[in-house]
């Protein structure tokens, strides 16, 4: 998505991402019904990942290979069927963070998070 001027002047938001799983592999990630393979967020925003049908997979994780846009471990495992992180302050506008959504014992999906201005 295009980075809008001043987009981060709004208050912090929570992005509830839904992960669709087929044959024990994540096949799509959406936010409010729209594709969220590329997601623009601001410092202070929260991102919550959750499986659409938790019975379709045993457990899942997100893993940021090089660096993560939040503090702490770059790999997070689901707790109570969800993963919740808060985007750190001080990240450069336009920075991108590629990550994997993985199903334990199954496949992975590789979306990206971009820091908005």
């Amino acid at each position: 998505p295009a980075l809008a001027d001043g987009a981060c002047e709004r208050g912090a938001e929570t992005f509830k991402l839904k992960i669709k799983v087929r044959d024990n592999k994540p096949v799509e990630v959406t936010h409010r019904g729209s594709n969220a393979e590329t997601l623009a967020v601001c410092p202070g925003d929260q991102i919550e990942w959750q499986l659409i049908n938790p019975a379709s997979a045993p457990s899942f994780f997100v893993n940021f290979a090089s660096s993560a846009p939040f503090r702490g471990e770059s790999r997070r495992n689901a707790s109570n069927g969800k993963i919740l992180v808060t985007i750190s302050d001080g990240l450069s506008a336009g920075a991108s963070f590629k990550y994997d959504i993985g199903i334990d014992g199954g496949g992975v999906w590789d979306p990206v998070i971009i820091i908005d201005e």
Side-chain angles (χ1 to χ4, degrees), residues 101-112:
I101 298 171
I103 303 298
D104 291 338
V108 297
W109 185 259
D110 57 347
V112 65

Side-chain angles (χ1 to χ4, degrees), residues 64-87:
F64 289 77
S66 54
S67 64
F70 49 83
R71 289 181 180 83
E73 296 294 320
S74 60
R75 177 184 164 130
R76 299 290 174 97
N77 295 311
S79 174
N80 298 319
K82 297 178 183 178
I83 298 171
L84 181 67
V85 300
T86 301
I87 302 301

Side-chain angles (χ1 to χ4, degrees), residues 7-8 15-18 26 28 46 52 56 74 78-80 84 87 89-90 95 99 104 114 116:
C8 288
F15 292 84
K16 294 187 177 199
L17 305 184
K18 302 295 184 185
E28 183 179 41
Q46 290 190 318
I52 290 174
S56 67
S74 60
S79 174
N80 298 319
L84 181 67
I87 302 301
D89 290 331
Y99 70 102
D104 291 338
I114 297 174
D116 216 336

Side-chain angles (χ1 to χ4, degrees), residues 20-34:
K20 183 177 181 180
V21 176
R22 185 178 309 124
D23 299 326
N24 210 30
K25 296 177 187 165
V27 294
E28 183 179 41
V29 59
T30 60
H31 174 62
R32 295 184 182 152
S34 297

